[in-house]
Amino acid sequence: MRTARLGWGLVCLTLALLVGCSSNKPKPKPLEPVAQKIAGRQVWSVKLDSVAFPLSIVSHDGQFVVASTDGTLMALDATTGRQLWRASAGAPLSAGVGSDGRFHAVVTNDNKLVGFDGAQPAWRVQLNSRVSTAPLVAGERVFVMGVDRAVQAFDAKDGTRLWTLQRPGDALTLLQNGVLTAVKDTLVAGQGPRLAGIDPTRGTVRWEVPIGNPRGTNEVERLADLVGPAVRVGNQLCARSFQAAVGCVDADTGRLIWTRNAGGVNAVGGDDEVIVGADATDRIVAWKTATGDLAWTSERMLFRGLSAPTAVGSTVAFGDFEGYVHFLDRKDGTPLLRLSTDGSQVVGKPARSGNTLLVATRNGGFFAFRPE
């Protein structure tokens, strides 16, 4: 199997409009003045090393667990930003962070899975393939999915390998966050354009359902990997198939609820009302969560390098390439509030704890906002 080892360089073959992919890319649409319609402010911030890998921020029991390129892990009180503990993997990261509040896991650039018990490194395991998806820590196990789409389970206490599920893969895969999550007693993993429900105790497949339908005349054009993290609404999981579709699945039964053809390279966000995402031109589209019917669209932020969005309160929040965080009305996309960070690109998907939103930037800034 060949993987997309050039990262965004490979993606640029098909998406020359993406920020940084072409010297002739369209200019970002100028930001319109925003008449602040809701109250909101930055409540705290923390500075770490840069974030040059596909970061997933964990929100758990009133804490945020974050990581930075140099291998630093940190837990922060979501309300105050107070540091609860700090640890180090001892090497730069390629993926992370996964946490259940006690056990944590990251993957280093030399393909080592590092497990922590609290702030103490507990074990290291050499993996056979590169990893770009954050490990999932659940049920005293650590689940890891490589770019070869092999899923492995390890004991969270000592790193013992429990099982490996190797699926047939496509010729090319993406070096960005895939889908790896849990719904009740089912582990759910993105396998190309398909969601697979897996028995977490045995590593066997319970169900499988496609969200995207790969199209194109060559391997690059047919890339349709699921991009994570997925949105969970009850038993329903919604995700984007890279440059192909957005859809929702019943994770109890593996039944496809709806799918819609849609371009785009980043994960979707949303809640029980709408699923929202930006396409390759940063045109924002919202679909009704229950049916997939179109709810609204917005072209106010074309070519601004939008992040994956997160729903918080009555808003949906996107970051952009200049470090702005845009809070839009989830009902119709109207801009309600715009706040700034450190001027560098917002990376990953903002994380939510209660009504606090944590945003990470490429320069390693972590900014907590609270819309009101």
Side-chain angles (χ1 to χ4, degrees), residues 56 58 65 67 73 85 89 93 95-100 102-108 112-118 123 133-137 141-144 156:
S56 285
V58 176
V65 182
L73 284 72
W85 55 260
L93 302 183
V97 55
S99 175
D100 66 357
R102 173 187 171 183
F103 298 109
H104 329 291
V106 293
V107 181
T108 63
K112 286 186 174 65
L113 173 65
V114 184
F116 296 78
D117 189 341
W123 48 267
T133 300
L136 173 69
V137 183
R141 297 187 177 200
V142 178
F143 301 97
V144 179

Side-chain angles (χ1 to χ4, degrees), residues 280-303:
T281 69
D282 290 323
R283 174 178 177 262
I284 301 172
V285 182
W287 299 268
K288 295 180 180 180
T289 303
T291 63
D293 293 339
L294 183 66
W296 52 265
T297 64
S298 173
E299 297 186 353
R300 290 185 172 95
M301 289 182 282
L302 294 179
F303 308 110

Side-chain angles (χ1 to χ4, degrees), residues 65-272:
V65 182
V66 302
S68 59
T69 305
D70 64 357
T72 298
L73 284 72
M74 185 182 292
L76 303 166
D77 183 279
T79 301
T80 66
R82 179 174 61 90
Q83 178 180 312
L84 303 175
W85 55 260
R86 186 182 182 118
S88 175
L93 302 183
S94 69
V97 55
S99 175
D100 66 357
R102 173 187 171 183
F103 298 109
H104 329 291
V106 293
V107 181
T108 63
N109 278 340
D110 57 356
N111 301 334
K112 286 186 174 65
L113 173 65
V114 184
F116 296 78
D117 189 341
Q120 300 302 315
W123 48 267
R124 294 172 186 264
V125 173
Q126 183 68 51
L127 302 174
N128 295 325
S129 72
R130 186 167 180 175
V131 175
S132 57
T133 300
L136 173 69
V137 183
E140 297 193 348
R141 297 187 177 200
V142 178
F143 301 97
V144 179
M145 182 172 65
V147 295
D148 61 356
R149 301 208 186 95
V151 180
Q152 299 180 78
F154 300 86
D155 188 298
K157 295 180 180 178
D158 59 16
T160 299
R161 195 187 312 265
L162 303 175
W163 53 259
T164 299
L165 174 64
Q166 181 73 59
R167 310 294 307 281
D170 296 330
L172 293 175
T173 58
L174 294 172
L175 286 182
Q176 64 186 89
N177 245 320
V179 173
L180 188 64
T181 189
V183 178
K184 295 182 180 178
D185 66 344
T186 298
L187 175 69
V188 182
Q191 305 276 281
R194 302 171 300 279
L195 272 181
I198 301 167
D199 184 330
T201 62
R202 298 184 296 174
T204 55
V205 177
R206 290 174 170 169
W207 53 258
E208 186 177 73
V209 59
I211 287 181
N213 181 26
R215 302 183 297 271
T217 59
N218 56 57
E219 293 173 352
V220 174
E221 292 177 350
R222 287 193 294 271
L223 275 170
D225 287 1
L226 296 184
V227 181
V231 178
R232 180 178 176 183
V233 180
N235 296 328
Q236 186 170 324
L237 281 180
C238 302
R240 180 186 298 282
S241 174
F242 181 83
Q243 276 303 296
V246 170
C248 294
V249 171
D250 184 323
D252 268 347
T253 64
R255 177 179 62 89
L256 180 66
I257 299 172
W258 60 263
T259 184
R260 298 290 182 267
N261 292 337
V265 300
N266 286 324
V268 293
D271 53 22
D272 58 353

Side-chain angles (χ1 to χ4, degrees), residues 6 12-13 18 25 30 38 50 81 85 91 98 108 151 190 194 197 301 307 309 319 348 365:
L6 295 181
C12 289
L13 294 175
L18 282 179
K25 64 181 181 291
I38 60 171
S50 64
W85 55 260
T108 63
V151 180
R194 302 171 300 279
M301 289 182 282
S307 72

Side-chain angles (χ1 to χ4, degrees), residues 291-341:
T291 63
D293 293 339
L294 183 66
W296 52 265
T297 64
S298 173
E299 297 186 353
R300 290 185 172 95
M301 289 182 282
L302 294 179
F303 308 110
R304 294 202 58 84
L306 296 180
S307 72
T310 296
V312 53
S314 62
T315 74
V316 58
F318 286 85
D320 74 11
F321 79 108
E322 291 183 313
Y324 288 110
V325 182
H326 307 268
F327 294 87
L328 311 180
D329 191 321
R330 70 173 183 176
K331 294 181 180 179
D332 58 13
T334 300
L336 301 177
L337 177 67
R338 181 188 303 146
L339 299 171
S340 62
T341 58

